[in-house]
Amino acid sequence: MVHNNSMKKVLVGGCFDLLHFGHISFLKNARALGDHLIVALESDENVRHMKGASRPIHSQEQRNQMLEALSCVSEVIMLPPMKSDADYAALVSKVHPNIIAITEGDAVENKKRTHAKSVGANFVVIPKIHTLSTSQLAKLLELE
């Protein structure tokens, strides 16, 4: 995809397994920060590592298609299995976003803040809205 220099790129990342209202709210708020919203989508292997053996419920390709169907999402990068923080830093360097946005309470906030600083990007924390998470929904649906 061709980006002109005046376009503000916003980078977010995550699993986005069972898309829910919290995801949509976060993505819409992130998109409002710039012109082009790029979602770095975790691999199935990394989702399993982060969330447990019963996850992901949807494959990375299915999650990619769900995200691409959203009007607020400009581009999805399907990540390979990421082994270290250096892998994520390399991705940020390659994408070179103007803004990195996270959800309040992100477990790796400090690392993402460092990545933003390394490319001169603004770092934005989007307040979490109070809705069920994918993990809570999976338990409710007895998928976990």
Side-chain angles (χ1 to χ4, degrees):
M1 174 158 287
V2 177
H3 304 285
N4 66 40
N5 290 339
S6 63
M7 190 185 314
K8 277 176 78 176
K9 294 188 289 183
V10 181
L11 178 64
V12 299
C15 302
F16 302 100
D17 194 5
L18 285 178
L19 273 184
H20 57 71
F21 185 73
H23 289 140
I24 301 300
S25 177
F26 169 69
L27 292 167
K28 285 172 71 175
N29 281 311
R31 171 64 171 78
L33 298 170
D35 307 302
H36 189 82
L37 177 60
I38 302 164
V39 178
L41 183 61
E42 289 293 352
S43 67
D44 294 344
E45 183 179 312
N46 279 40
V47 174
R48 256 188 304 284
H49 177 73
M50 288 185 273
K51 307 285 188 178
S54 64
R55 301 280 295 283
I57 293 159
H58 292 100
S59 70
Q60 186 183 40
E61 178 54 41
Q62 290 170 323
R63 293 180 285 122
N64 175 53
Q65 287 184 38
M66 289 189 290
L67 288 166
E68 285 183 339
L70 300 176
S71 60
C72 59
V73 174
S74 309
E75 185 179 347
V76 178
I77 299 171
M78 293 202 310
L79 298 176
M82 305 292 258
K83 301 293 184 200
S84 69
D85 186 53
D87 291 342
Y88 290 100
L91 170 80
V92 170
S93 179
K94 184 178 175 202
V95 172
H96 212 281
N98 303 94
I99 298 165
I100 292 178
I102 66 161
T103 304
E104 175 185 14
D106 187 313
V108 290
E109 176 178 340
N110 290 338
K111 289 179 180 179
K112 291 179 180 179
R113 192 179 290 277
T114 300
H115 296 162
K117 196 176 288 182
S118 75
V119 295
N122 290 329
F123 188 78
V124 178
V125 179
I126 295 174
K128 196 172 215 150
I129 61 161
H130 296 287
T131 184
L132 293 172
S133 69
T134 298
S135 296
Q136 291 167 322
L137 287 169
K139 284 183 179 69
L140 198 65
L141 298 171
E142 297 180 351
L143 298 170
E144 289 193 339

